Amino acid sequence: MLIVHRFAAAIAMACIATFFSATVLVEIFGSVESISTVKRLIVWPGLLILVPSIAFTGASGFALAKGRNGVLVSRKRKRMPFIGMNGILVLIPCAVLLNLWASAGVLDTRFYVVQAIELIAGAVNLTLMGLNMRDGFRIRGRFHTCI
């Protein structure tokens, strides 16, 4: 179960980091066509990879934490629902809308407001997932807290 958890978490983080960096880079250096291509790839096949990896990360994490207590486990448990809801309620709808608008060539103020929301939500999820990873390493004894 631990291997599934680690693999799924790594895939989820890699997806979000790739979506985030691709979005920023294509906005700086790309054309309208390349923006549309990135938005399309984020939705398909990107979400097909991301959504199950987050689901497997959460499910395997809860299974691994079953019967365990402690501050670190509690923190991870509290973050995971927020990560999932942020993905379902913010990131997925933003990705779908941005793909629709970009494919129609509509890169207006509305597009960039939604994209800003998507980037902020993605950064929040990356941060929370990074904190969960750090705490997971601490639970396993890989990192020690220095005081």
Side-chain angles (χ1 to χ4, degrees), residues 65 67-77 139:
R68 295 187 83 161
N69 292 313
V71 174
L72 297 176
V73 173
S74 176
R75 285 182 194 162
K76 287 176 64 101
R77 276 191 184 123
I139 290 167

Side-chain angles (χ1 to χ4, degrees), residues 17-27 38 42:
T18 300
F19 299 168
F20 188 94
S21 58
T23 294
V24 170
L25 291 172
V26 78
E27 283 299 333
V38 165
I42 287 171

Side-chain angles (χ1 to χ4, degrees), residues 10-131:
I11 295 296
M13 283 192 73
C15 282
I16 294 173
T18 300
F19 299 168
F20 188 94
S21 58
T23 294
V24 170
L25 291 172
V26 78
E27 283 299 333
I28 295 170
F29 301 112
S31 63
V32 172
E33 287 178 4
S34 59
I35 292 169
S36 179
T37 299
V38 165
K39 295 304 173 188
R40 180 177 45 80
L41 291 171
I42 287 171
V43 171
W44 181 260
L47 292 179
L48 181 67
I49 298 166
L50 176 62
V51 172
S53 67
I54 288 179
F56 280 120
T57 301
S60 60
F62 281 113
L64 287 167
K66 188 176 182 177
R68 295 187 83 161
N69 292 313
V71 174
L72 297 176
V73 173
S74 176
R75 285 182 194 162
K76 287 176 64 101
R77 276 191 184 123
K78 288 177 184 174
R79 286 186 204 115
M80 227 19 239
F82 186 80
I83 292 167
M85 295 308 286
N86 190 22
I88 292 168
L89 298 177
V90 180
L91 291 172
I92 292 172
C94 285
V96 171
L97 280 175
L98 292 169
N99 177 48
L100 290 172
W101 293 334
S103 66
V106 181
L107 304 180
D108 56 5
T109 302
R110 173 182 63 171
F111 177 90
Y112 287 106
V113 167
V114 172
Q115 185 161 271
I117 292 166
E118 179 188 50
L119 288 171
I120 292 166
V124 167
N125 264 14
L126 277 174
T127 301
L128 294 174
M129 292 167 81
L131 291 170

